[in-house]
Each structure stands twice: as structure tokens, then as C-alpha cells.
């Protein structure tokens, strides 16, 4: 089979396989599943898997299940279960009535374990974990049979039942499949099916003190649910022979098949639940929904719309070889999506006061366009008056040649308003520029000069009186290096991942609105209201800048 990564066509090798299975009649329909372990929040890598599983099922008229892989009670929490459901829905997918848990199948899995024992294909092993590890062999050397491998069926059944009954402490014994300790594939060297764990399970409480391994639970859960295409990431490719062994050796109700695709990796971030959990636990970030986190909760809070995530996943496609995706790919998917939907507003992030010395009348209202490409988005009024704010960066007292914005004697356009000319610079005692005195040309109302004279820059601005103070949170990547070393990730964190601007100004209507719809602050980027906002202090997150400036900022 040839591999296709044609993101443009929306086709990939998984979808090709499904199509071929349907065409040949090998499958009558498509059932997939997304199987998160509820031990953390979902991240953007999971979004790839969700879009693939739910997306492919949808496209082929099938269904996708949400199944919690809750076989490890120690690390699992209800908070994660709730967050995962909310995140999948937010991303735009619906499992309908098909919500399942591996723990729903504990009784059936147990019965199948006894079935293997009865067939002479599983045994209880009393070796210590260390002994088992040593006897497993290596990639080049075969393993050694356990001294307990030839127990009788009766003895195995008796011991396994007593394991279930709680007679033994954690780790005292395990149930193993009896396959082949010399198998080239280490996964087939008598893998563990059940281990003893006296722990409270979020769903089954204390009903069980033995829990199935991932390998024993996963394929059989697929079979119970009549999953046809069990799609997972590449690291499970070596487990597929074991997956098939269980399906072949158990009286399962259907024959699922496992397919592997490359997991998503992105530069400047880490998609490992272990690392993300540590970042939260050790307070390197403010929580799972910190806007710097690659979690869906973090991206949502930052203002990334679900459509942008789906678009990103569509653009990267699905391949069979691992690769590293440039963060810039993600950023441009976010930018392209927001460019179409976000209304335009003006905000001044680092304000510099401008006094229009020849402006005498009362404040006037000017008309501003809400979306340049979408007239149906309408217009809004913005106040113009004698005192304004512009961006500090838009003024230079001694500009280099190519600086076309405001400087002494220079004329620029204020967006939607007038041409202004800088006449005088006011400084404080330390020599900092604190105010500009400018004149305006009343004949340029709306932004054009009747005499045809041109200016080289158009600046955004706000009325000093008719704007509201706001806090802006600017985010940069969490990590300094494109490929952070996860073994030492605390030293790899970008110390400038969050920059807070406490004295920004925004349009008053935006301050009054509780909407979390992202907006574009003209010439600045896309921003979204943060839930930390209060009635008198709005807080905005920069979702993404207008251009890719990060490479420049880190000096790369
Ligand atoms: P852990 O690191 O704890 O094993 P995980 O990231 O694999 O966790 P799971 O909850 O087991 O998390 O993942 C659910 C599904 O999401 C799995 O099918 C897994 O293959 C897929 N998945 C996880 N990470 C990625 C990724 N980076 N890219 C694509 N799919 C992923
Ligand atoms: Mg996993």
C-alpha cells in the first residue's frame, strides 16, 4: 500500500484503508474509538487523534466511541474524566450514547482470563518484578521460562481466584499469558495480564483488587464494542501481534484490527502527560488551562478556536513516520482561522499620550469598520478628542531612515480619523518621553487629504477619555529550544513565556462585554478576554500575533 499524506485532499493512509475495507466488503461499516486514560488533560496531540477517529468515522457514515481507558486506578481522577469530555465536545465531536469505560468490562475480561487459563494459555507467576525483568531477556537474547510456568490448570485457576478474592498483597503474583519466552518480539514473552493492586477505583470502588494490563484490556474492549479500526500511535506497533493473539485466542464477539499512525510532536513545546502533569503540580504554570500550555483547556483559554485546531490537524495530515511539526504551522492555522472570523478593534498596549493642540471642539464620533472583508459585520463608533493615546513603539525622537511612523515634524494618519503632525516632545525629569504635542488637519477627516498629499504610516490610537484600562497578557513559547530535553525540562523553560502589560487601553464597549470571542486588535494581533477579568479590570490574552515574530525575538 502506498502512503498518502495529502492534506489538501483530506485523504491519508488510514482513510484509504477504511475505504478499501468498505469497497471490498471486508467491513460493513466503520466503528472507531478515542481511548484516553483519565490521568491528565488532553493536549494538542490528542486533538490529532480525536480528529482522526471522530472525523474518519463521520466521513464514512460510522460512529466513534469515547472510551476511558481506566485500568490504572492510582493515577486516575474524576476531574480528568470531566475535563476530557468537555474538551472533546469543545473540539466539535460527539460520541452520542457511545460513552464507555474499560472498567465496564472488568467482569468480562476476568472471565476471558479464566478462559485462557482453562485453555492452558495463561499462568500465575510468583516471581518478583525484578526476577521477571531479568528473565525477560533482551532484544538479542531470548528470555527464560518462569519456574511457575508449568503449574497445572487447577492450580492456576485456584491462585487466580484467590488473587481476585484479595488473599495476596500488591505485587505478590501476576497472571501472565503463556506464549513464548524466546519470541523475537518482547511483547510476546509471556506478557502480564493481571496485577494485584489494592486501590480504590473511581468507578468500581473496592470491587476489584486485580486490574488488567493495557494490552489485555484494550483489544478486548475494542472487540466488545465492535470497533473495526482501532487507531493508535506508532509506539503500539510492536504490541499489534499481541493484540491479534488475544483476538485469535479468545471467544470475542468481533474482530477489530489495530492501525498505527505517527504521533504529533511540535517544536518549542512538550506533548507528554508526565511532563505536563509535573508542570502543573510543581507550579511552573498556573494550571492545566494556563494559556501557555499545549492542553486543549489552555489553548481554549488563550482564545484558539476549535476550528483552528481542526484546520491545523487537516494541514499536517496523517503519516506513518514520526516527525516534528514547526510551531509556526500551528500559529498560521490559528491566524488564518481568526483572520476570517475575528472582529477588528483598536487597543493601545503601551500607551503614549498625544495632545492635539489645535483641536478645540467637543469629542466627536468617528466610524470604524468591524471587519474589512465582511461588510455584514457592520461598523462602530469610536471617540476622537483632544487627548489620545498611541503606541509608544510608534514614536521615535531620533528615527533611523526607514522609520516612517511618528517623529518630530513628521505627519502620519490616525486610522479612521485625521492626519496629525508631531510638533513638540514632552519629557519627564529622567528624559523619558511622556507626551507628544501634535496638530491635526481637520480637512483629512476619514483619513485622506483633499490635496492628495500622502503619509507613509497609519497608526492605531484611542481617545484618552473614552478608553478603558486593561491588562494584556502576551504569551511566548513555554520552552527555549525547538526540541526541549524532557529529561531536564525545568532548565529548558523560556523565562519570558509570559509578559504582562498592566496599562493597556481598550475600546469601552469591549471592556463592558463579557464575550470571549477573539478580536483582532489592529496592528497587534488576536486577543481574547480572560476569565480573570473583573468588572473594572478587563484582562486580555494574546492568542497570536499578526506575524511570526517569535523567531526574531529569541534571536534565531
Ligand atoms: P501517556 O503519555 O500517559 O501514555 P498518552 O498521551 O498516550 O498518555 P492517552 O490517554 O493514552 O495518552 O491517549 C489517548 C489517545 O491519544 C491514544 O490513542 C494515543 O495514541 C493518542 N495520542 C496521545 N498523544 C498523541 C500525540 N502526541 N499525537 C497523536 N495522538 C496521540
Ligand atoms: Mg497512552
Amino acid at each position: 500500500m502506498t502512503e498518502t499524506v495529502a492534506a489538501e485532499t483530506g485523504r491519508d493512509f488510514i482513510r484509504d484503508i477504511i475505504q478499501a475495507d468498505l469497497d471490498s466488503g471486508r467491513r460493513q461499516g466503520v466503528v472507531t474509538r478515542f481511548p484516553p486514560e483519565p490521568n491528565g488533560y488532553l493536549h494538542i496531540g490528542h486533538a490529532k487523534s480525536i480528529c482522526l477517529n471522530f472525523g474518519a468515522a463521520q466521513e464514512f457514515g460510522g460512529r466513534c466511541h469515547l472510551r476511558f481507558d481506566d485500568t490504572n486506578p492510582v493515577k486516575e481522577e474524576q476531574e480528568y474524566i470531566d475535563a476530557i469530555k468537555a474538551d472533546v465536545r469543545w473540539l466539535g465531536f460527539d460520541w452520542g450514547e457511545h460513552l464507555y469505560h474499560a472498567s465496564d468490562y472488568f467482569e468480562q475480561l476476568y472471565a476471558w482470563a479464566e478462559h485462557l487459563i482453562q485453555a492452558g494459555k495463561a499462568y500465575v507467576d510468583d516471581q518478583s518484578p525484578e526476577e521477571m525483568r531479568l528473565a525477560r531477556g533482551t532484544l538479542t537474547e531470548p528470555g527464560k521460562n518462569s519456574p511457575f510456568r508449568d503449574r497445572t490448570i487447577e492450580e492456576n485457576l485456584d491462585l487466580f481466584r484467590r488473587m481476585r478474592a484479595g488473599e495476596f498483597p500488591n505485587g505478590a503474583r501476576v497472571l501472565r499469558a503463556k506464549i513464548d519466552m524466546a519470541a523475537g518480539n518482547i511483547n510476546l514473552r509471556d506478557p502480564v495480564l493481571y496485577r494485584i493492586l489494592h486501590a480504590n477505583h473511581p468507578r468500581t470502588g473496592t470491587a476489584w483488587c486485580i486490574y488488567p494490563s493495557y494490552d489485555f484490556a484494550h483489544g478486548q474492549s475494542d472487540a466488545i464494542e465492535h470497533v473495526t479500526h482501532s487507531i493508535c500511535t506508532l509506539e503500539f506497533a510492536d504490541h499489534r501481534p499481541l493484540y491479534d493473539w488475544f483476538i485469535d485466542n479468545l471467544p470475542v464477539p468481533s474482530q477489530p484490527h489495530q492501525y498505527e499512525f505517527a504521533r504529533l510532536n511540535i517544536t518549542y513545546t512538550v506533548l507528554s502527560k508526565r511532563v505536563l502533569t509535573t508542570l502543573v503540580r510543581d507550579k511552573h504554570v498556573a494550571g492545566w488551562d494556563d494559556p501557555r500550555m499545549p492542553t486543549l483547556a489552555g489553548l481554549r483559554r488563550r482564545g484558539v478556536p476549535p476550528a483552528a485546531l481542526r484546520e491545523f490537524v487537516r494541514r499536517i495530515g496523517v503519516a506513518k513516520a514520526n516527525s516534528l511539526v514547526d510551531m509556526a504551522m500551528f500559529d498560521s492555522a490559528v491566524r488564518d482561522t481568526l483572520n476570517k472570523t475575528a472582529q477588528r478593534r483598536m487597543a493601545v498596549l503601551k500607551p503614549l499620550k498625544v495632545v492635539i493642540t489645535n483641536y478645540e471642539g467637543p469629542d466627536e464620533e468617528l466610524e470604524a469598520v468591524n471587519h474589512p472583508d465582511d461588510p455584514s459585520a457592520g461598523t462602530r463608533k469610536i471617540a476622537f478628542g483632544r487627548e489620545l493615546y498611541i503606541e509608544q513603539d510608534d514614536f521615535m525622537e531620533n528615527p533611523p531612515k526607514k522609520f516612517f511612523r511618528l517623529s518630530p515634524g513628521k505627519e502620519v494618519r490616525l486610522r479612521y480619523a485625521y492626519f496629525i503632525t508631531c510638533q513638540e516632545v514632552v519629557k519627564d525629569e529622567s528624559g523619558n518621553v511622556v507626551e507628544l504635542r501634535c496638530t491635526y488637519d481637520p480637512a483629512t477627516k476619514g483619513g485622506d487629504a483633499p490635496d492628495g498629499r500622502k503619509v507613509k504610516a497609519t497608526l492605531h490610537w484611542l481617545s484618552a477619555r473614552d478608553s478603558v484600562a486593561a491588562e494584556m497578557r502576551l504569551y511566548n513559547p513555554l520552552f527555549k529550544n525547538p526540541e526541549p530535553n524532557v529529561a531536564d525540562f525545568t532548565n529548558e523553560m523560556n523565562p519570558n513565556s509570559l509578559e504582562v502589560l498592566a496599562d493597556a487601553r481598550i475600546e469601552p464597549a469591549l471592556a463592558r462585554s463579557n464575550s470571549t470571542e477573539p478580536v483582532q486588535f489592529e496592528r497587534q494581533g488576536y486577543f481574547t478576554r480572560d476569565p480573570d477579568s473583573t468588572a473594572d479590570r478587563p484582562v486580555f490574552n494574546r492568542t497570536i500575533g499578526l506575524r511570526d515574530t517569535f523567531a526574531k525575538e529569541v534571536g534565531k
Side-chain angles (χ1 to χ4, degrees):
M1 169 147 334
T2 53
E3 179 172 347
T4 50
V5 196
E8 303 76 24
T9 64
R11 268 312 169 97
D12 53 64
F13 78 98
I14 298 276
R15 287 169 166 94
D16 289 347
I17 288 170
I18 295 175
Q19 183 72 62
D21 285 346
L22 293 173
D23 290 348
S24 69
R26 197 174 102 81
R27 297 286 185 191
Q28 273 69 53
V30 181
V31 181
T32 58
R33 85 288 168 264
F34 174 64
E37 194 181 334
N39 61 351
Y41 278 56
L42 297 181
H43 55 60
I44 186 167
H46 296 116
K48 178 178 179 181
S49 176
I50 294 168
C51 290
L52 177 57
N53 279 294
F54 280 93
Q58 227 165 48
E59 288 152 38
F60 290 98
R63 62 171 200 262
C64 180
H65 301 177
L66 175 62
R67 182 202 312 146
F68 287 103
D69 181 7
D70 56 351
T71 51
N72 182 0
V74 182
K75 285 198 269 171
E76 295 160 4
E77 288 176 25
Q78 189 61 38
E79 178 197 346
Y80 298 139
I81 293 185
D82 297 339
I84 288 169
K85 287 189 201 165
D87 286 347
V88 174
R89 284 207 188 92
W90 173 74
L91 202 52
F93 297 103
D94 185 4
W95 53 89
E97 62 210 26
H98 298 286
L99 173 66
Y100 303 106
H101 302 80
S103 58
D104 298 339
Y105 313 133
F106 280 174
E107 200 60 58
Q108 175 66 79
L109 292 169
Y110 177 85
W112 280 336
E114 285 207 354
H115 178 97
L116 287 178
I117 295 174
Q118 304 270 16
K121 292 174 183 166
Y123 62 98
V124 172
D125 194 345
D126 301 357
Q127 291 183 102
S128 70
E130 180 62 8
E131 285 168 331
M132 277 183 47
R133 198 180 59 75
L134 290 172
R136 191 169 292 130
T138 64
L139 285 174
T140 49
E141 274 168 63
K144 291 192 195 64
N145 284 355
S146 163
F148 304 96
R149 200 171 194 261
D150 294 318
R151 278 178 159 150
T152 63
I153 290 173
E154 291 66 35
E155 193 184 357
N156 281 317
L157 264 186
D158 174 61
L159 284 171
F160 187 49
R161 288 176 181 165
R162 287 164 61 196
M163 278 169 64
R164 176 181 183 167
E167 285 190 30
F168 312 118
N170 290 353
R173 297 188 152 90
V174 293
L175 182 73
R176 299 178 77 175
K178 195 174 190 174
I179 305 180
D180 180 5
M181 287 305 290
N185 183 337
I186 293 181
N187 290 294
L188 294 175
R189 294 184 188 170
D190 293 7
V192 171
L193 308 185
Y194 271 89
R195 59 206 188 292
I196 300 172
L197 195 61
H198 294 268
N200 203 23
H201 186 282
R203 285 176 58 82
T204 58
T206 53
W208 294 88
C209 61
I210 57 172
Y211 289 95
S213 62
Y214 170 88
D215 284 319
F216 190 63
H218 203 89
Q220 281 69 272
S221 302
D222 288 339
I224 293 170
E225 294 175 19
H226 292 261
V227 165
T228 55
H229 298 79
S230 181
I231 305 167
C232 63
T233 37
L234 280 180
E235 63 272 24
F236 292 101
D238 289 345
H239 295 240
R240 180 159 22 98
L242 179 57
Y243 185 103
D244 292 341
W245 189 89
F246 290 128
I247 298 297
D248 292 343
N249 284 281
L250 289 170
V252 289
S254 78
Q255 307 284 311
H257 192 80
Q258 175 183 302
Y259 301 91
E260 307 90 19
F261 70 100
R263 65 189 296 121
L264 173 64
N265 299 298
I266 307 184
T267 54
Y268 295 102
T269 192
V270 170
L271 301 182
S272 147
K273 272 200 254 181
R274 187 184 56 78
V275 171
L276 298 180
T277 307
T278 315
L279 290 178
V280 173
R281 192 197 55 213
D282 296 348
K283 305 207 179 338
H284 295 290
V285 293
W288 284 102
D289 69 345
D290 187 305
R292 294 167 294 180
M293 290 280 274
T295 52
L296 300 188
L299 295 170
R300 173 167 62 235
R301 182 166 177 179
R302 209 175 95 189
V304 172
L309 277 161
R310 294 193 300 264
E311 174 62 12
F312 169 65
V313 168
R314 194 189 68 77
R315 288 182 187 183
I316 56 175
V318 179
K320 270 191 274 192
N322 276 322
S323 67
L324 183 63
V325 173
D326 194 333
M327 192 189 56
M329 285 267 296
F330 174 70
D331 292 349
S332 58
V334 176
R335 240 177 242 124
D336 293 349
T337 306
L338 288 175
N339 182 38
K340 290 190 215 115
T341 53
Q343 292 218 350
R344 274 45 170 178
R345 293 291 181 270
M346 290 205 282
V348 179
L349 303 194
K350 295 180 192 160
L352 173 60
K353 171 82 80 62
V354 169
V355 178
I356 310 289
T357 51
N358 60 338
Y359 191 86
E360 300 299 347
D363 282 11
E364 61 182 307
E365 291 206 307
L366 303 173
E367 184 137 299
V369 170
N370 288 335
H371 198 296
D373 306 323
D374 177 12
S376 75
T379 60
R380 66 190 187 284
K381 300 284 187 209
I382 45 175
F384 184 87
R386 188 179 159 82
E387 297 199 351
L388 309 173
Y389 290 116
I390 64 165
E391 210 68 67
Q392 286 170 19
D393 292 348
D394 282 335
F395 173 79
M396 278 185 95
E397 190 174 13
N398 300 300
K401 249 207 166 87
K402 290 242 159 89
F403 187 85
F404 298 120
R405 290 166 279 163
L406 205 56
S407 54
K410 268 269 192 58
E411 187 171 46
V412 297
R413 174 190 292 113
L414 294 185
R415 181 110 160 113
Y416 302 120
Y418 298 96
F419 286 11
I420 62 167
T421 304
C422 177
Q423 309 291 358
E424 193 188 336
V425 179
V426 182
K427 295 181 183 173
D428 64 13
E429 288 135 34
S430 342
N432 301 311
V433 177
V434 290
E435 189 181 300
L436 303 178
R437 299 275 162 91
C438 298
T439 50
Y440 85 120
D441 177 356
T444 57
K445 182 164 180 173
D448 281 311
D451 63 5
R453 79 182 187 279
K454 300 284 179 213
V455 287
K456 283 202 167 137
T458 300
L459 310 186
H460 61 275
W461 56 276
L462 283 173
S463 147
R465 202 169 60 188
D466 209 30
S467 63
V468 174
E471 176 179 321
M472 299 285 168
R473 297 179 182 168
L474 312 187
Y475 301 103
N476 290 306
L478 251 190
F479 293 93
K480 287 183 285 195
N481 296 312
E483 293 181 70
N485 171 11
V486 292
D488 183 28
F489 65 86
T490 49
N491 282 319
E492 303 263 317
M493 298 192 71
N494 174 9
N496 305 314
S497 58
L498 169 62
E499 189 186 341
V500 176
L501 303 177
D503 304 310
R505 310 290 299 186
I506 60 175
E507 295 181 25
L510 201 54
R512 287 191 300 268
S513 158
N514 283 325
S515 167
T516 52
E517 278 295 304
V519 291
Q520 184 196 94
F521 289 147
E522 296 203 20
R523 301 177 63 228
Q524 294 292 357
Y526 298 94
F527 287 73
T528 304
R529 189 183 178 89
D530 188 85
D532 282 349
S533 298
T534 59
D536 41 49
R537 187 159 184 82
V539 177
F540 277 78
N541 296 319
R542 183 172 67 190
T543 311
I544 190 84
L546 283 186
R547 278 172 302 276
D548 183 6
T549 53
F550 171 66
K552 206 173 64 203
E553 280 163 26
V554 294
K556 294 254 150 56

